[in-house]
Amino acid sequence: MAVRDVRRVDTETGVWLILLAATVLTAVVGLEQAGASHAVGLVLLAVAFVKLRLVGLYFMELRTAPLPLRLLFEGYVAGVFVVLAELYVIR
Amino acid sequence: MTLQADDVHSREPSIPGQADQPARRIPGEEGLWVFLLGDMGIFALFFGTLVVTRADQPDVFHAGQQALHPWLGIVNTLLLLTGSILVVYGVRAIRGATGSAAGLFTGALVCGLGFAGVKAVEYSLLIREGHTAGTNDFYMYYFVFTGIHLAHLAIGLVLLGLLIRLGSRLPAGRVPSASRVRLVECGGCYWHMVDLLWLVLFPLLYLVR
């Protein structure tokens, strides 16, 4: 039991470290880009939504939530990303 | 003690191949999720507004982005993420009755106050440089959306204060009731939503060109 609890905390700490690293890396990429690039912009958006999903699944514990709630969250992440990406690329 | 704490995470009867899987359960309360998802929906409209207006006024948005102070935004992102992991640990401490929850929630509160402090510095720098909400659409959206987010953060700080108080009344070994744990989870999930919204607002305002 205790071993399982430690492992769970470690998983979330790992997610936190990934989130920190992704924040710094994408910030450097975003600030270094020479001009307006849709490709870079899309990557930055995609990473943001991956981070958002990680916070939801691991910090908010939606990973173990009932399926309807998890699907609502997953739908939000995917839906908002697709709409924003489409608006960003098309317009 | 561990067994008592595990009562909170009631497990479903053993199913072959799923014996170690925790029971699926709603973090906090159902009503909380109606509010959180509703709020996230409103922010989705904010995100869309930013993308559409940027496409209509690319030069205004590019110039506005150049005048922001991105490293302050990065520091704030790191502060919110660190506050979030401390809240995760705090919720675990409540469930496990380790007695360390109040300290962990206080750490998260400090991160939140740090975020507000950095934001105040950034606002004052921008205003001193002549950029206000009335300057153009970029700054209008910047101040309005980050201001609304800051209001959410302020509510989160109040909730963290309540969690600290609750945690300080639970010494090590005293297992809280299930309803109290759900209350703590509600506060925690709200705090994570504040973090989650910033994770999209930050690149849209500071990085995506």
Side-chain angles (χ1 to χ4, degrees):
Chain A
M1 193 70 67
V3 171
R4 185 183 297 122
D5 286 346
V6 167
R7 183 181 60 78
R8 280 171 60 184
V9 169
D10 281 348
T11 301
E12 279 132 16
T13 305
V15 167
W16 173 63
L17 291 171
I18 289 168
L19 290 168
L20 293 185
T23 297
V24 174
L25 276 175
T26 50
V28 169
V29 169
L31 296 174
E32 291 295 318
Q33 61 182 318
S37 158
H38 274 160
V40 175
L42 271 181
V43 169
L44 294 173
L45 262 184
V47 173
F49 277 87
V50 168
K51 287 163 69 182
L52 187 152
R53 185 171 180 265
L54 287 175
V55 169
L57 295 189
Y58 290 90
F59 292 180
M60 294 170 125
E61 302 183 344
L62 290 171
R63 200 170 39 135
T64 52
L67 208 54
L69 179 57
R70 176 159 181 183
L71 287 177
L72 270 175
F73 177 73
E74 299 275 16
Y76 174 86
V77 175
V80 176
F81 171 69
V82 167
V83 170
L84 288 185
E86 198 177 350
L87 287 172
Y88 179 65
V89 172
I90 290 175
R91 287 182 65 95
Chain B
M1 185 175 74
T2 311
L3 281 176
Q4 282 175 303
D6 273 352
D7 287 344
V8 172
H9 302 283
S10 60
R11 291 170 190 277
E12 285 177 343
S14 288
I15 298 170
Q18 295 184 0
D20 290 336
Q21 294 294 316
R24 290 199 168 272
R25 54 184 293 278
I26 293 177
E29 303 277 356
E30 275 182 41
L32 170 84
W33 285 97
V34 174
F35 169 74
L36 294 186
L37 289 168
D39 217 20
M40 286 161 62
I42 291 169
F43 266 82
L45 295 177
F46 294 170
F47 304 151
T49 302
L50 276 174
V51 173
V52 169
T53 315
R54 173 196 318 280
D56 291 341
Q57 306 175 42
D59 294 338
V60 169
F61 268 67
H62 184 66
Q65 273 184 331
Q66 296 297 314
L68 294 183
H69 302 86
W71 289 102
L72 295 179
I74 294 165
V75 168
N76 264 351
T77 310
L78 301 179
L79 279 171
L80 279 191
L81 289 172
T82 303
S84 262
I85 192 68
L86 289 172
V87 166
V88 168
Y89 293 157
V91 173
R92 297 253 181 272
I94 290 280
R95 288 173 182 156
T98 63
S100 57
L104 291 162
F105 290 137
T106 302
L109 183 86
V110 169
C111 289
L113 288 171
F115 181 98
V118 170
K119 206 84 214 127
V121 167
E122 193 176 15
Y123 281 164
S124 71
L125 284 173
L126 286 171
I127 290 168
R128 214 178 304 162
E129 290 158 4
H131 309 300
T132 66
T135 303
N136 58 37
D137 280 353
F138 176 81
Y139 289 109
M140 196 256 292
Y141 287 130
Y142 169 83
F143 281 106
V144 170
F145 293 162
T146 58
I148 292 172
H149 179 265
L150 200 57
H152 280 69
L153 180 114
I155 295 168
L157 291 175
V158 172
L159 292 177
L160 279 178
L162 295 174
L163 295 189
I164 292 166
R165 197 172 162 195
L166 203 149
S168 65
R169 290 178 176 179
L170 287 170
R174 187 171 157 193
V175 179
S177 64
S179 63
R180 193 154 285 195
V181 171
R182 276 199 298 276
L183 197 67
V184 171
E185 289 173 353
C186 286
C189 283
Y190 179 88
W191 186 256
H192 296 314
M193 184 197 65
V194 173
D195 182 7
L196 183 149
L197 296 173
W198 179 255
L199 289 180
V200 182
L201 209 49
F202 168 65
L204 279 180
L205 284 169
Y206 292 77
L207 303 176
V208 176
R209 292 183 186 170

